[in-house]
Amino acid sequence: MEIVGKLQNQFMEFMRSLYREGFLDDQFLQLQKLQDESNPDFVVEVVSLFFENSEKLLNNLAMALQQQVVDYKQVDAHVHQFKGSSSSIGAQRVKNACVAFRNFCEEKNLEGCMQCLQHAKHEYFLVKNKLETLFRLEQQILAAGGTVPVLS
């Protein structure tokens, strides 16, 4: 039982740090509350979809910003979509990066957009890494016969 307790403490500490450092917001807690015995992989599935969509959107954004004539409406539409999907899983820092990005789209500021793309990419890969670590911890807790604790 000791190993489960250690893993659960590690999990809770890691979760708290994700909120403290602004990687996640309450929306992620809401997702966790929707997960139950009948749908044990709900959060992992939703987040995996977010990962897939984000990689596509980041590629689309990079391509759109490399055009001879940049279509800022299109870029903004991609950023808007990225902002929506990141806020739906509670990826707060990614969402915030998108807010700044949209301002540069409005100003048709290519350099600003390029910097924002790098920043959004950076925040996305950070949160992706953190969530993958979180899911690994969950797997370890379950494998050890424990239950995954929930932040209240």
Side-chain angles (χ1 to χ4, degrees), residues 87-103:
S87 85
S88 74
I89 69 143
Q92 192 176 12
R93 285 165 53 160
V94 176
K95 180 184 76 180
N96 294 345
C98 290
V99 172
F101 202 152
R102 294 196 72 193
N103 292 335

Side-chain angles (χ1 to χ4, degrees), residues 22-60:
F23 285 106
L24 298 176
D25 61 26
D26 289 344
Q27 185 57 38
F28 190 78
L29 281 180
Q30 296 305 317
L31 278 186
Q32 286 181 313
K33 286 178 184 158
L34 294 172
Q35 181 165 295
D36 56 22
E37 289 78 47
S38 67
N39 204 347
D41 299 325
F42 179 72
V43 177
V44 172
E45 284 167 13
V46 171
V47 170
S48 298
L49 270 176
F50 166 70
F51 290 160
E52 273 173 50
N53 290 337
S54 298
E55 315 264 334
K56 275 189 211 120
L57 284 168
L58 286 166
N59 285 335
N60 290 344

Side-chain angles (χ1 to χ4, degrees), residues 112-125:
C113 283
M114 294 301 272
Q115 282 174 342
C116 282
L117 175 60
Q118 288 317 308
H119 181 60
K121 225 183 214 172
H122 176 71
E123 288 299 345
Y124 163 71
F125 284 113

